[in-house]
Amino acid sequence: MRILALAVAIASSGPLPAPGMFCPVGEGYGPIFVGPGPRDLAIDGMDCHDARKVDGKIRATCFTNSASDTGGSYALDLEVLPTGELSRYGTLFRRVPHPGMCHAN
């Protein structure tokens, strides 16, 4: 029963945004990377796996670069907008067509 509930929750969570690099519109944040795997994400210097969208927000298990870090549930306040853009703490992130460096606005 628990497996069925989990499968329904994952299926109803919706897809993540298109893979690529998302740059902030404004200052204060670094880029967010979606992919290359279907549920991979990189944010705040952390590698995140098993990312999924729940109620319009992205949830993931994230790991820092520390050798002693075993990871944990990192509840991101990262909203997926209908346009495919991301929003975090009121900052908009747009996918850039050619990943490189984010331009200052």
Side-chain angles (χ1 to χ4, degrees), residues 33-73:
F33 298 91
V34 176
R39 300 223 176 259
D40 292 341
L41 186 79
I43 186 170
D44 294 341
M46 293 185 284
D47 291 326
C48 305
H49 306 284
D50 300 324
R52 62 204 177 285
K53 193 165 77 170
V54 178
D55 296 328
K57 303 270 183 168
I58 293 180
R59 303 286 186 234
T61 301
C62 300
F63 299 87
T64 65
N65 291 326
S66 170
S68 64
D69 188 1
T70 58
S73 181

Side-chain angles (χ1 to χ4, degrees), residues 56-100:
K57 303 270 183 168
I58 293 180
R59 303 286 186 234
T61 301
C62 300
F63 299 87
T64 65
N65 291 326
S66 170
S68 64
D69 188 1
T70 58
S73 181
Y74 182 68
L76 301 171
D77 185 17
L78 189 59
E79 184 177 0
V80 181
L81 304 175
T83 60
E85 297 170 321
L86 303 174
S87 177
R88 183 174 193 211
Y89 301 122
T91 298
L92 182 67
F93 289 78
R94 291 192 175 124
R95 187 174 181 276
V96 293
H98 304 289

Side-chain angles (χ1 to χ4, degrees), residues 7-18:
V8 169
I10 290 172
S12 65
S13 66
L16 293 180

